[in-house]
Amino acid sequence: MNGSGSRTAAYGLVPADTTEDVRTRGAGVSAQIAVLPVGSFEQHGPYLPLATDTLVACAVAREIAAAYPVHLLPPVTIACSQEHAAWPGTVSISSVTLHAVVRDIADSLRRSGVGTLVVVNGHGGNYVLGNVVQESSARGERMALFPAAEDWEAARERAGVLTSLLTDMHAGEIETSILLHAHPELIRPGYETSDFVADDRRHLLTLGMAGYTESGVIGRPSLGSAEKGKALLASLADSFGAYFSLLTADS
């Protein structure tokens, strides 16, 4: 299914749709679905930008919007990054605030006739997003969180990513690959020699990332490539098909 026919191209983080674009797209579907990228603003080692998680979430959301008739929203760029507070540049909001922001966005969308929200999460520390979706679903509201761990695992296998999801925790092969594909101009030299593994992170919530890495990296960025990044995004877009079918069923 191709949702790009009436979409104005946008190459940055903010969609370039007009209100007429949204009206036209909404008229051609049985149920309107909005897609909200949620990232973070946190350290990603010396070679990836602070906005990496936002850039990844936006890349995934753009891939979805190119394939399905969804209403692409601008990203939430600051979220729950408290575990990265030891590094300069990191900025966080509380989980309560993020919960309220997503709820408010969903409520606003429903008032304008968009009854379903998919949250595309780019930061593993945004745990509260699962609670938002779970609570909203219990109230009878249509909401989903994407990608699930299973979607990332399918994408990892399809793209030939060698690092496991456990090892590829932060600024590793997956994130480096997606940025090499989507935003190569933003990557600094050094990812080729920054591999660091710390698979046992049972005290992460207590110690933060600084308890496990000096560089801020946990993973194998040296294995990243633009080709893997492209394949990762393509796989995630395919995986979204099941979510789209579920959210539009009986609508």
Side-chain angles (χ1 to χ4, degrees), residues 173-189:
E173 185 176 0
I174 287 177
E175 290 183 321
T176 300
S177 292
I178 291 176
L179 261 65
L180 282 170
H181 167 64
H183 297 283
E185 73 282 1
L186 299 181
I187 298 183
R188 309 286 179 90

Side-chain angles (χ1 to χ4, degrees), residues 208-235:
M209 285 283 290
Y212 294 93
T213 171
E214 292 184 5
S215 69
V217 177
I218 297 179
R220 295 191 177 98
S222 68
L223 300 176
S225 72
E227 292 75 20
K228 291 177 182 178
K230 182 177 181 179
L232 285 161
L233 293 175
S235 176

Side-chain angles (χ1 to χ4, degrees), residues 110-242:
R110 281 192 297 275
R111 288 194 294 272
S112 66
V114 181
T116 303
L117 176 64
V118 176
V119 179
V120 174
N121 182 33
H123 171 49
N126 291 335
Y127 309 115
V128 71
L129 294 177
N131 299 112
V132 178
V133 172
Q134 187 177 46
E135 292 164 12
S136 297
S137 298
R139 288 191 298 269
E141 301 161 4
R142 292 210 168 192
M143 193 181 291
L145 183 61
F146 182 83
E150 293 84 354
D151 302 311
W152 278 117
E153 182 61 27
R156 186 189 71 80
E157 292 179 0
R158 175 166 157 183
V161 169
L162 300 178
T163 316
S164 70
L165 293 181
L166 172 64
T167 299
D168 193 56
M169 190 262 185
H170 191 71
E173 185 176 0
I174 287 177
E175 290 183 321
T176 300
S177 292
I178 291 176
L179 261 65
L180 282 170
H181 167 64
H183 297 283
E185 73 282 1
L186 299 181
I187 298 183
R188 309 286 179 90
Y191 72 91
E192 306 92 339
T193 57
S194 294
D195 292 5
F196 183 78
V197 174
D199 284 352
D200 186 346
R201 303 184 296 269
R202 70 187 73 190
H203 303 300
L204 178 66
L205 297 180
T206 302
L207 300 175
M209 285 283 290
Y212 294 93
T213 171
E214 292 184 5
S215 69
V217 177
I218 297 179
R220 295 191 177 98
S222 68
L223 300 176
S225 72
E227 292 75 20
K228 291 177 182 178
K230 182 177 181 179
L232 285 161
L233 293 175
S235 176
L236 291 173
D238 288 346
S239 292
F240 185 77

Side-chain angles (χ1 to χ4, degrees), residues 4 7 49 56 74 96 98 102 162 166 194:
S4 61
R7 184 176 302 282
V56 168
V96 173
L98 182 57
V102 176
L162 300 178
L166 172 64
S194 294

Side-chain angles (χ1 to χ4, degrees), residues 38-53:
V38 178
S40 71
F41 199 73
E42 65 187 38
Q43 72 83 20
H44 275 76
Y47 53 87
L48 295 184
L50 293 160
T52 290
D53 289 341

